[in-house]
Amino acid sequence: TSGTLSFEPGQTSKRVLVPVVDDIFFERTESFFVTLSNPTGDANFVDAIGECTILDNDIFADSFENGEWDGKWVEDSQYGWFESTQRKTDGNYSAEVDGRATDATLTTASTFNLMSYGSAELSFDWYIESGLDSGEYLAADLYDGSNWTEAAKLSGDVDPENTWHSEAIVVDGAYLVSDFQFRFRAKMSGSNEDANVDNVKLVPI
């Protein structure tokens, strides 16, 4: 990014907008420098270089590209979920539940302290294939520190199948607790039925 800044007499600061690329990967704090040059008129520089810091805005992010669960998820005792290459939105992998499952869950391994946020957004891509029957589903649940509540669902023979859906859930109110969690939960009855989740992200808004 480059451009021209115009300072009024006595003015000592200006805002420079530098676009960054938002993604679903955790990154360390990064920095870059802004350098002022070529002053005109009676202007001069006391300090012509300023350091800027880029902070990662993600509370949680996973695209399932770093090995099965990467310490970020836990399954229930059914172990119905696995990392799959069968379908995905970006990269090479997604989380898939396949075959007989009765509310098989994939839950965040850690809790998240949301008490300092005014609200947050949980976004993800998910998919159900055409083998799902009526009464079978893929659901997303939120935890308020005491109870799990269903926040969204894709239902067999109801919602469009064999296509990715992009979902965004506003997390606020009762969920802004010190031990917030979320999970994906699936019910299906046979090996010809499966569903996927990809690009999961929790960010403050």
Side-chain angles (χ1 to χ4, degrees):
T1 296
S2 62
T4 300
L5 293 176
S6 297
F7 289 81
E8 298 298 326
Q11 190 174 17
T12 59
S13 65
K14 279 284 188 179
R15 176 173 291 184
V16 177
L17 298 179
V18 179
V20 297
V21 177
D22 195 16
D23 57 35
I24 61 169
F25 302 104
F26 278 119
E27 298 173 77
R28 296 183 180 90
T29 297
E30 298 172 310
S31 61
F32 63 93
F33 294 92
V34 172
T35 303
L36 301 177
S37 60
N38 303 321
T40 60
D42 295 328
N44 59 67
F45 300 129
V46 175
D47 181 1
I49 299 177
E51 184 175 3
C52 305
T53 302
I54 304 173
L55 302 175
D56 195 334
N57 68 335
D58 300 331
I59 301 170
F60 176 92
D62 195 11
S63 59
F64 304 102
E65 297 296 308
N66 295 319
E68 188 153 291
W69 312 148
D70 192 29
K72 297 179 178 181
W73 304 91
V74 292
E75 298 183 62
D76 67 1
S77 60
Q78 296 175 76
Y79 293 103
W81 290 84
F82 67 99
E83 197 173 64
S84 171
T85 58
Q86 180 179 0
R87 60 180 71 92
K88 58 274 182 186
T89 52
D90 292 317
N92 298 307
Y93 298 93
S94 67
E96 181 171 316
V97 58
D98 191 358
R100 184 175 296 278
T102 303
D103 286 333
T105 56
L106 185 66
T107 306
T108 54
S110 301
T111 60
F112 307 99
N113 187 348
L114 302 187
M115 293 182 69
S116 62
Y117 301 111
S119 62
E121 181 180 81
L122 174 63
S123 62
F124 49 88
D125 300 322
W126 56 354
Y127 180 109
I128 54 173
E129 60 93 43
S130 58
L132 268 72
D133 302 317
S134 177
E136 298 172 340
Y137 53 79
L138 175 60
D141 301 331
L142 306 182
Y143 183 68
D144 65 4
S146 300
N147 300 293
W148 288 99
T149 302
E150 184 178 288
K153 179 189 281 187
L154 290 178
S155 298
D157 292 343
V158 175
D159 294 299
E161 301 168 338
N162 295 335
T163 186
W164 283 100
H165 304 263
S166 293
E167 192 79 33
I169 300 170
V170 174
V171 180
D172 57 11
Y175 297 102
L176 301 177
V177 294
S178 61
D179 52 356
F180 171 77
Q181 282 182 285
F182 60 91
R183 70 185 181 188
F184 296 98
R185 177 172 48 87
K187 179 181 179 182
M188 49 195 67
S189 60
S191 60
N192 65 328
E193 299 168 342
D194 51 84
N196 296 73
V197 176
D198 204 358
N199 295 333
V200 183
K201 192 170 184 178
L202 178 66
V203 299
I205 55 174

